[in-house]
């Protein structure tokens, strides 16, 4: 296994650990166990807990961009309908199969508000997602794609948070594709007019 693969395995195990046990459960030993690695492996690659948290931020951004690449691959030049359908599919994926990643992302983001040394990596990770959103909105004709991307990311994060961690999250199922597509279309239309 290459060094890069090992670091990704550890970051993925750390993300799963945070999703399951919160930040209190994020220890080097717990990540070693979750990754199926010998004791000390995580601390070899990520000496401090802050380094491990930063690795989580950057890995989450990498996975989010890879998810976006996946739904964009077959679409060519997007129009509003295909963008809404694609984003809805992406959100559905994040609300179901990648649910743990999103829960960990929210928890890790809150940690950066209390620990300034983590802000830079969180901002780097966030920038990758915002650039992708701006690219999409520019392709759809947004006059100010960066400002529109800020709105779209905020709305998307709000939607994800509400469905995953908000008060009714425990009692309602994830929205279906049609419902998500309608919501995303409204978000895109609003972002494009901003």
């Amino acid at each position: 296994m290459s060094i890069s693969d090992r670091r990704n395995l550890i970051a993925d195990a750390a993300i799963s650990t945070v999703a399951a046990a919160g930040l209190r459960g994020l220890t080097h030993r717990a990540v070693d166990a979750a990754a199926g690695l010998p004791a000390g492996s995580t601390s070899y690659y990520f000496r401090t807990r802050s380094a491990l948290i930063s690795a989580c931020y950057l890995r989450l951004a990498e996975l989010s961009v890879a998810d976006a690449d996946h739904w964009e691959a077959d679409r060519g030049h997007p129009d509003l309908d295909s963008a809404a359908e694609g984003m809805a599919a992406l959100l559905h994926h994040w609300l179901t199969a990648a649910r743990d990643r999103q829960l960990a992302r929210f928890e890790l983001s809150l940690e950066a508000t209390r620990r300034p040394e983590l802000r830079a990596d969180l901002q780097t990770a966030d920038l990758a997602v915002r650039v992708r959103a701006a690219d999409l909105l520019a392709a759809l004709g947004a006059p100010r794609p960066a400002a529109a991307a800020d709105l779209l990311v905020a709305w998307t994060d709000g939607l994800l948070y509400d469905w995953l961690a908000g008060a009714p999250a425990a009692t309602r199922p994830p929205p279906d594709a049609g419902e998500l597509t309608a919501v995303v279309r409204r978000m895109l239309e609003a972002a494009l007019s901003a």
Side-chain angles (χ1 to χ4, degrees):
M1 180 180 295
S2 72
I3 291 173
S4 176
D5 290 342
R6 178 72 53 105
R7 291 175 68 87
N8 285 342
L9 173 67
I10 291 168
D12 290 343
I15 291 164
S16 295
T17 300
V18 171
L23 279 169
R24 287 186 176 170
L26 183 65
T27 65
H28 286 81
R29 184 175 302 189
V31 174
D32 285 339
L37 295 172
S41 297
T42 298
S43 62
Y44 177 80
Y45 289 96
F46 304 103
R47 289 305 238 177
T48 65
R49 192 164 186 268
S50 293
L52 185 57
I53 291 170
S54 292
C56 289
Y57 292 145
L58 299 175
R59 180 68 174 152
L60 284 165
E62 178 184 340
L63 292 169
S64 293
V65 168
D67 288 344
D69 286 345
H70 177 75
W71 71 260
E72 285 180 357
D74 298 330
R75 287 180 168 66
H77 186 74
D79 59 22
L80 188 58
D81 290 333
S82 68
E85 288 172 11
M87 275 191 69
L90 181 60
L91 287 171
H92 191 268
H93 173 71
W94 287 342
L95 289 167
T96 57
R99 177 182 187 277
D100 285 354
R101 285 189 353 222
Q102 297 307 311
L103 290 171
R105 184 173 67 85
F106 288 126
E107 184 130 9
L108 289 161
S109 295
L110 289 171
E111 183 69 4
T113 66
R114 295 182 282 282
R115 298 183 50 198
E117 73 273 14
L118 298 174
R119 290 301 277 163
D121 285 328
L122 175 63
Q123 289 170 335
T124 298
D126 183 69
L127 181 61
V129 173
R130 288 178 192 271
V131 165
R132 291 305 297 271
D135 290 347
L136 170 65
L137 291 162
L140 293 174
R144 296 177 34 229
D150 289 341
L151 289 173
L152 186 60
V153 169
W155 292 330
T156 301
D157 275 349
L159 184 144
L160 287 168
Y161 185 87
D162 187 56
W163 280 95
L164 294 172
T171 59
R172 70 176 170 200
D176 64 32
E179 182 182 1
L180 273 174
T181 300
V183 169
V184 170
R185 185 177 177 86
R186 288 193 302 271
M187 289 190 315
L188 286 170
E189 287 171 344
L192 289 168
S193 67

